[in-house]
Amino acid sequence: MISFLLKRPLGTLSACLCLVILGAFALFYMPINLYPHTQFPVLTISTILSDSSPEEIETLITKPIEEAIADIAGLRKIQSLSHSGESEITLQFHYGKSISEKALEVRSRIRRLFPLLPKDARFPVITRYDPSDSPVAILAVMGKVSQEEAGEWVLHTLKPKLGRIDGVATVRVSGAPKKEITVDCDAGRLNALSLTIHDVMLAIKGGHETLPAGFLTREGRHLSVLTAGKHQTPEDVELQPVHVSENGALLTVGQLAHVKLGIEEPAEITRYNGQLLITVEIYRSTDADLRQVWKEVGTLLDDIRTGDESAPIIQVVSNQAAELETVLRRMNIMIAMTATITACVLFIFLGNLRSTVVVLSAIPFSLFVTILLMKLLGVTFDLLSLGGLTLGLGILVDNAIVVVESISRRWTEGDGVTKGVVDGTEDVAFPLLLSTLTTVIVFIPVMTISREIRLLFSGFAWTVAAS
């Protein structure tokens, strides 16, 4: 093979350049993540029923859900934890099953079961574990204005702007006070009119629903009509009818209770360095580039800081893109140091600038070809695959030094240029092949320890093998 390549230098160079160009295109479209994209076949079902004992949670929530999902195909294990006010059920499926499809099936069964659960129970939340699903960034909002004003600004200004960024899947807000309408009934007046708090509650609930009201025919088209009954202000609640007295007078909520606008009791309290604040978690879609998403988020935050003086103070608590940039910068430094040290050692050892350049040229060539193979294998850049890339390039340089030294020895013995290259390479080709295969094969036992290990380290192993 070496003789064949040397007899066709232009064709060989063209083929190498084509591989480098394809690798450059693959690098341009290669997503970069901080953590490996793994989907463990595990789902967690969390259901909240406030002010309930563990025994009640187990009887009313946990067991009915377990019975409803016990016969799902591919289910391997069910583990439940019932404690005060909450039920947590962990489902583990066999590997090879689509966890997205199983999540839809579990949600469908729970939806059919939900009407049979206690009325005060919240709809179960189904989550799945994936290290790459952690938030891209966590923002802390504080200062300048009150907590209530900051919460209104975050919910109605910051969150919608973040949600419109391309690549942002979800924006979650924690610690933001929410407004609520409080109805304080007059017990004496209710007793005088033979009414109860339940009557007031039913009246408010009935007036707060959007209900179908038939169809409207226009130009041969049937349009559905809905009654918009959502209460937006305390005045809307005060005008809600409750009862018609014996003399025909209409009694409203405002005549039977004191209605006021207040702040809902927070479900969580968040602090940063001891200061009460609001946290905003930004999640990206699966195929979105981490650095591009943060670039647009950072641009938006800069615009808010410079253009809106009334906006609260926004601090970045966590940023995956910054951590990834640190990893990439250190990897570039390592590659540059490896190339520099290799060049110095080779030049001192061989005393030949051409041989030194040949070895160094193998680094970028192998780098681009490896990226092309990673793209074909479906491996993306992350902490582990970048580590595998660095390790593989180190092994490559070791092999290149051995080959160049063998060729140099042949030249010293009087062989011509072409014959020295062919014979020098053939002298060490088979031992280097076995050595490299040994390095690659050593990952096979690691990959068979468990399926979890294989999911985490498959990208690392494929990258080492490819490079």
Side-chain angles (χ1 to χ4, degrees), residues 39-54:
Q39 286 192 352
F40 293 103
V42 177
L43 294 175
T44 302
I45 306 172
S46 301
T47 310
I48 295 177
L49 181 61
S50 302
D51 301 327
S52 298
S53 65

Side-chain angles (χ1 to χ4, degrees), residues 148 152 176-182 261-266:
E148 292 77 13
E152 287 289 318
K178 298 180 181 179
K179 294 182 179 180
E180 69 174 2
I181 299 175
T182 305
L261 184 64
I263 300 298
E264 180 182 350
E265 184 177 351

